[in-house]
Amino acid sequence: MILSNFLWISREEVAHLGAIKLKCIVHSKYDKEPIQTCVETEDWIGIPRNFQAIPEGIKDERILPSKKDFEFTGELRPIQQ
């Protein structure tokens, strides 16, 4: 998997390419033609980063930030209170 604006997955790793392509279609309320949100090359398929159904067997290697605790020590202006 290669990370960018898309999750790039090798075609060899995907068992059901057609099913992924169907899930990546969105229907516009303005145009009559459906919009394909995945990108294909000869060896790779790119699915949107927010795609909820990552194919089975694909390891999601995105780095999630750790939760940070902090405390506000400044002063609010009167209009902000």
Side-chain angles (χ1 to χ4, degrees):
M1 178 187 296
I2 298 173
L3 302 178
S4 69
N5 289 334
F6 290 94
L7 300 176
W8 290 96
I9 303 169
S10 171
R11 285 175 170 263
E12 295 173 359
E13 295 181 65
V14 179
H16 303 288
L17 188 60
I20 292 174
K21 289 169 58 174
L22 283 175
K23 289 179 183 178
C24 287
I25 294 175
V26 294
H27 299 280
S28 171
K29 62 182 179 180
Y30 301 108
D31 298 327
K32 294 184 179 186
E33 292 185 32
I35 301 167
Q36 183 65 266
T37 60
C38 66
V39 177
E40 293 183 78
T41 67
E42 188 175 315
D43 299 321
W44 299 86
I45 181 164
I47 57 177
R49 288 186 71 99
N50 61 347
F51 190 68
Q52 298 300 315
I54 294 176
E56 193 173 314
I58 302 297
K59 183 179 175 188
D60 185 356
E61 296 177 352
R62 290 179 283 185
I63 299 170
L64 300 175
S66 59
K67 189 173 184 177
K68 303 288 182 193
D69 291 324
F70 63 92
E71 183 178 329
F72 178 70
T73 59
E75 291 184 27
L76 296 176
R77 296 181 211 138
I79 198 168
Q80 294 176 311
Q81 296 182 10

